[in-house]
Amino acid sequence: MPGRLSEPESALIPLSTEVDVPLYHIRLGVKPPIFRVFISWSRGNVLQVACIRPLEDHLARGEGNETSDDAGLGGKVVEVKLGASNPNISEAQRRRIIYDSVPPFVLLQSRRKAFLTMSRMSSSSSHPSTDWWKQVLEYSRSISELLGSSKLSSKSVIEDPMIVLEPVEKPSSLKAAWQLMEIFYVDKHYFSWLPERLVDWLADYDAILSETQMTVHSKLVKLQEKLVNLQVIENEPEYWEGLSSVLTVGWLDVAVKLLRLHGSYQLNQLDSRETENGLVETVAVLVSTMPRLRHDLPVRKLGQCLKTKPDFIKAWEKWRGQITKLDCSAFWVQCSHRPTREGLRNLLQIMLGNFNSISTACFHWMELFISHVLYIRPLTVGFEEMHGLALKFMRLKSSSISNGLMRLLIGILGENTEVVMAECSKSFGPWMVAHSAELLTADNNQNEILLHEERYNLGGISIVELHRLVYCQVLTSHPLTWQVAPTYLVSCPKQGLGLLEILLSKQPVQNYPMILKNLEICQLNELYGISSFVKKIAGMHQWKHGRKGSGVYWLQEARDEARLNRIAQQLFECIGRSISDETFKQWEGLIELLGSDVGTAGGVGFLHRYRDFKRSLRQVKNGRPTRAARQTVESLIQLMKSPYTPQRFWLPLLHDVVELLNWKDQPLLNVSETNFLLKKLQELSMAQLCREFSETYLPPEALTEIRLALATNLSRAFLEE
């Protein structure tokens, strides 16, 4: 396999051989000690692990009898299914992703070739157009769509006021990782609005940030379960805690919906709780009018959409001033409900950017990170600053990077491309790393050089080609996905075509549809040389397994003149061993298929003339006139004069025309032609004395009949002349 590392220190990403914890648990049921372990690939992503016990120990325990249990046997083979990093993606869905990602990948590779061609013509930089990132963004969004549908609005959110969280399926970590890479590497148009992009991303994928740690999403799920049974919701601390959490991460629509569930909105309490309701509504209005630096707002999302930084800064200062004014208002003294007063003022502190309030309301370090850039540093730019904040908040929340998604984010913020590629491969599989390389190089010349540079320790190939070859190896290990591999092998300039030829040559050619599939792959990728090779393999396989006609057909399609000539020679020798009408009829179709232009030196030309002779002879026997008889005799003379007509054919040919030599109307041969045939008959008589002479199937009196017929024809020819 290309890219095999012979020295550990030369590895692109060093791997430690010291493992403190087991990486994969396998239940074997084999009693120790285990003498040897064998591991081999099976189909798809399945490993076969064989554990062998020492033979001496096996015999010493007396476990070789038939009554011993399985644990006492000399070994056991188990299958281990790998690739459980995304358990929420089924095998069928995984194959659908594999197939549906091919068209976007092919389209982007085609555009890349066109751009590189324009670059060479214009002698400019690696990308002749500054809009290359737009092409990659289109590709990225096509891939993102097939990874799963976006979060759809539910009508029940409007109809039922007690439902604040949409009932959706658990999101895919694969799509979450893909969108993270799109945000940070590709989407330059929205990069200045990064905090808002992260808010949208967290709204979709907060549920999968951690399986053990509390998140805002899990907090909101628990709160929604209790909302139905709560009589006075504003008296519950969990209500205000959940409200603070959703506001902290920028889910303004959910925050406003929770505020409108406050008891002061009930008709029977409006008069007695007018001040309290006014404060709640004012905070709700402030939340719903929060300035947001972004291109547009999705449907049912709240906030002021501002597209430029000057407009945003102006609106932000005005909005913060309104919050400060409300925080210093005297109406708080008139609010007699303490939980409401404290809860609302805590919401104001969050919107004012109070770090303590924000930190208390967040659970995961990623939530704290996004809240920080949303309320405290909304104009944050630069990976260095973000990476430092991320590490700081991880220490603050005492979080470990056990989640592959979070490790990927740390690698992105740390601008460590090698770590990003390694994490994509480790946590999300070969598909992810093979397709995400295009995102890393969308608008980064340094990554372009790093990933496409040929490396000696990888066998002269680049990192991108290495990962594509690994992905192709995974594809070819499954019978339902192998036909996708050629698309990616073609994009590997160094070793792709060679491996593709090996792949296609190893595909079974027992049936016609499989051969057509191979040829279709070659035609789509313009691999005409490999197509000819596949046809040759198919032709040889069909010929060796007794399907002669099919074999000749595929060899003719491949234009393999050398093998066709050898087949013609074999056919000639086969027919020559038994020169009977039945034998000739058996091979007549194959002679027709070979054609007269193939193997003339090997005797196929003679077989074609012999076929014409037989056809003329059948016409004569079917009652045709003298003209047909004359054509038959002319074919006989040509055959007998041909140097390619074997001597063992002479006697059967002459025996076939005995009736024509005794033709009643007129002699069909003149004197010279008859003498020529008598001479050939004399040579044949002399040849019978040799040991190498091949006996024919004719009766013993055949030679006498031929001599008598030739003598009769000669006398009649003398009289005729």
Side-chain angles (χ1 to χ4, degrees):
M1 181 68 197
R4 183 183 62 182
L5 303 178
S6 57
E7 298 295 336
E9 58 272 9
S10 64
L12 184 63
I13 303 174
L15 299 176
S16 175
T17 57
E18 299 179 0
V19 181
D20 298 330
V21 294
L23 300 178
Y24 211 104
H25 295 276
I26 304 176
R27 295 185 178 182
L28 297 170
V30 179
K31 294 181 180 180
I34 295 177
F35 172 66
R36 187 168 294 176
V37 177
F38 297 94
I39 301 176
S40 62
W41 280 107
S42 182
R43 286 187 169 230
N45 58 337
V46 176
L47 284 178
Q48 288 185 346
V49 181
C51 296
I52 310 299
R53 296 179 59 199
L55 181 60
E56 296 81 3
D57 180 75
H58 175 64
L59 297 176
R61 293 171 180 258
E63 295 168 346
N65 53 59
E66 299 178 355
T67 60
S68 61
D69 56 3
D70 292 342
L73 295 176
K76 193 173 183 181
V77 179
V78 297
E79 286 191 344
V80 180
K81 189 173 184 180
L82 304 179
S85 57
N86 292 300
N88 55 330
I89 299 180
S90 63
E91 286 298 321
Q93 186 179 2
R94 202 181 299 271
R95 287 195 296 270
R96 181 187 64 82
I97 292 174
I98 289 174
Y99 277 100
D100 292 348
S101 58
V102 172
F105 179 82
V106 172
L107 179 60
L108 185 67
Q109 296 304 313
S110 176
R111 290 176 176 176
R112 175 182 285 275
K113 290 181 181 179
F115 273 38
L116 291 177
T117 302
M118 294 173 58
S119 175
R120 296 189 189 98
M121 294 175 61
S122 59
S123 300
S124 60
S125 59
S126 58
H127 293 311
S129 174
T130 57
D131 294 336
W132 171 250
W133 67 272
K134 294 182 180 179
Q135 307 293 336
V136 182
L137 180 61
E138 181 183 347
Y139 158 78
S140 176
R141 290 179 175 173
S142 300
I143 297 292
S144 183
E145 288 179 2
L146 64 91
L147 292 179
S149 58
S150 59
K151 198 172 184 180
L152 301 177
S153 299
S154 175
K155 295 182 179 180
S156 62
V157 177
I158 300 176
E159 295 173 355
D160 191 347
M162 302 303 293
I163 297 180
V164 295
L165 192 65
E166 300 177 14
V168 294
E169 295 182 358
K170 185 178 180 180
S172 167
S173 60
L174 183 62
K175 184 174 182 180
W178 185 272
Q179 290 195 349
L180 265 183
M181 299 184 70
E182 178 184 310
I183 291 172
F184 285 98
Y185 288 109
V186 184
D187 203 348
K188 290 176 57 180
H189 188 63
Y190 291 97
F191 193 76
S192 57
W193 308 318
L194 183 59
E196 289 290 338
R197 291 296 310 275
L198 293 177
V199 169
D200 294 342
W201 181 88
L202 187 66
D204 290 334
Y205 305 107
D206 186 64
I208 59 174
L209 287 186
S210 177
E211 296 181 356
T212 59
Q213 189 177 354
M214 175 74 74
T215 61
V216 174
H217 181 272
S218 58
K219 180 73 174 180
L220 197 57
V221 170
K222 293 181 179 180
L223 176 60
Q224 183 168 276
E225 294 174 354
K226 295 182 178 181
L227 284 178
V228 181
N229 300 322
L230 293 177
Q231 298 296 327
V232 185
I233 190 173
E234 60 271 17
N235 290 339
E236 298 295 330
E238 293 183 356
Y239 167 73
W240 294 106
E241 292 173 1
L243 185 54
S244 300
S245 297
V246 296
L247 179 62
T248 303
V249 295
W251 301 352
L252 305 185
D253 51 332
V254 180
V256 171
K257 189 172 183 64
L258 285 173
L259 283 172
R260 298 281 165 76
L261 295 178
H262 195 274
S264 63
Y265 281 94
Q266 297 181 10
L267 296 178
N268 58 352
Q269 297 188 28
L270 282 175
D271 294 336
S272 59
R273 305 174 67 179
E274 183 177 358
T275 302
E276 183 180 350
N277 178 258
L279 290 172
V280 175
E281 181 61 25
T282 303
V283 173
V285 172
L286 287 173
V287 171
S288 62
T289 57
M290 174 183 173
R292 310 186 70 170
L293 182 60
R294 58 187 301 153
H295 182 264
D296 54 9
L297 274 174
V299 181
R300 297 174 56 197
K301 295 294 183 180
L302 303 178
Q304 300 180 56
C305 180
L306 301 165
K307 299 182 180 180
T308 61
K309 288 185 179 180
D311 294 341
F312 172 76
I313 294 173
K314 183 178 179 180
W316 184 263
E317 292 176 351
K318 180 181 178 181
W319 180 70
R320 281 284 181 87
Q322 293 172 346
I323 297 175
T324 304
K325 184 178 180 180
L326 177 62
D327 190 39
C328 301
S329 173
F331 288 104
W332 298 108
V333 180
Q334 302 175 20
C335 181
S336 59
H337 193 262
R338 181 179 177 181
T340 299
R341 182 175 65 250
E342 294 179 353
L344 291 178
R345 301 199 73 170
N346 185 55
L347 296 182
L348 294 181
Q349 291 301 311
I350 292 174
M351 290 187 287
L352 288 173
N354 187 302
F355 181 77
N356 292 330
S357 299
I358 292 175
S359 178
T360 304
C362 295
F363 306 100
H364 195 273
W365 73 265
M366 182 64 179
E367 298 169 348
L368 181 57
F369 172 77
I370 294 177
S371 302
H372 189 273
V373 298
L374 182 63
Y375 290 104
I376 300 177
R377 297 184 181 180
L379 301 179
T380 299
V381 292
F383 284 100
E384 293 183 4
E385 186 177 3
M386 292 183 182
H387 186 249
L389 287 174
L391 296 178
K392 174 184 175 181
F393 296 147
M394 285 176 58
R395 291 190 296 268
L396 183 62
K397 291 296 182 180
S398 302
S399 302
S400 60
I401 316 180
S402 58
N403 190 322
L405 193 60
M406 294 298 98
R407 289 195 298 267
L408 176 65
L409 178 60
I410 292 298
I412 293 174
L413 296 178
E415 298 183 90
N416 196 329
T417 307
E418 292 92 340
V419 172
V420 172
M421 293 286 286
E423 196 55 48
C424 286
S425 178
K426 178 182 177 181
S427 300
F428 305 102
W431 177 92
M432 178 68 172
V433 70
H435 292 81
S436 61
E438 300 294 342
L439 308 187
L440 294 172
T441 60
D443 190 51
N444 193 317
N445 291 332
Q446 184 178 358
N447 286 348
E448 179 82 21
I449 297 173
L450 176 67
L451 297 180
H452 289 276
E453 179 185 11
E454 297 179 3
R455 296 173 176 262
Y456 174 77
N457 60 343
L458 298 181
I461 62 177
S462 63
I463 298 177
V464 170
E465 183 168 349
L466 171 65
H467 286 293
R468 286 179 184 171
L469 293 177
V470 172
Y471 178 56
C472 291
Q473 187 177 22
V474 175
L475 292 176
T476 54
S477 66
H478 199 285
L480 297 179
T481 57
W482 74 266
Q483 58 267 34
V484 180
T487 302
Y488 298 89
L489 288 174
V490 170
S491 66
C492 300
K494 291 294 183 180
Q495 301 188 11
L497 291 180
L499 294 176
L500 177 57
E501 184 170 352
I502 294 174
L503 170 65
L504 294 178
S505 63
K506 288 187 175 181
Q507 296 305 315
V509 289
Q510 289 89 346
N511 51 35
Y512 188 71
M514 180 62 71
I515 300 174
L516 292 182
K517 185 63 179 180
N518 290 348
L519 297 179
E520 181 184 2
I521 292 173
C522 295
Q523 184 177 6
L524 290 175
N525 297 283
E526 299 180 355
L527 304 174
Y528 303 113
I530 300 178
S531 174
S532 178
F533 179 78
V534 170
K535 293 174 182 177
K536 290 179 182 179
I537 296 296
M540 290 187 291
H541 180 274
Q542 299 290 336
W543 178 267
K544 289 179 179 178
H545 287 79
R547 294 180 285 274
K548 308 295 185 181
S550 180
V552 170
Y553 169 77
W554 286 117
L555 290 175
Q556 285 179 331
E557 289 291 313
R559 302 191 179 188
D560 191 350
E561 301 295 337
R563 288 184 174 86
L564 287 174
N565 284 333
R566 285 199 294 270
I567 289 176
Q569 182 65 31
Q570 292 179 11
L571 179 62
F572 175 74
E573 294 176 356
C574 180
I575 295 177
R577 283 192 293 267
S578 178
I579 318 168
S580 62
D581 290 344
E582 291 75 13
T583 304
F584 187 78
K585 289 179 181 179
Q586 180 181 356
W587 299 102
E588 188 174 4
L590 192 58
I591 295 172
E592 184 73 26
L593 184 61
L594 278 172
S596 58
D597 297 332
V598 179
T600 54
V604 176
F606 156 73
L607 293 178
H608 277 273
R609 287 190 292 271
Y610 186 61
R611 177 202 60 192
D612 297 337
F613 168 76
K614 285 288 187 178
R615 288 178 178 175
S616 300
L617 190 61
R618 282 195 294 267
Q619 292 178 359
V620 174
K621 293 181 178 180
N622 292 334
R624 296 298 179 90
T626 305
R627 182 178 179 182
R630 184 60 188 172
Q631 290 178 352
T632 304
V633 173
E634 290 177 357
S635 297
L636 172 67
I637 297 299
Q638 292 178 0
L639 284 171
M640 297 298 290
K641 289 182 178 181
S642 175
Y644 301 116
T645 302
Q647 198 176 53
R648 59 180 176 271
F649 278 83
W650 291 358
L651 193 60
L653 286 171
L654 293 173
H655 187 266
D656 288 337
V657 296
V658 168
E659 295 183 5
L660 301 182
L661 294 177
N662 296 320
W663 194 255
K664 296 181 179 180
D665 297 338
Q666 61 182 17
L668 298 179
L669 296 174
N670 57 30
V671 175
S672 60
E673 292 173 341
T674 307
N675 287 330
F676 170 75
L677 294 180
L678 286 171
K679 182 179 179 181
K680 288 291 183 180
L681 189 61
Q682 183 65 25
E683 293 179 10
L684 189 61
S685 300
M686 297 296 296
Q688 287 180 344
L689 302 176
C690 301
R691 295 181 179 179
E692 295 81 4
F693 181 78
S694 300
E695 295 292 340
T696 63
Y697 63 93
L698 298 177
E701 62 273 10
L703 184 61
T704 304
E705 294 179 359
I706 295 172
R707 283 176 177 168
L708 180 59
L710 286 174
T712 303
N713 185 86
L714 181 62
S715 62
R716 295 176 62 192
F718 271 119
L719 295 176
E720 184 74 20
E721 294 180 2

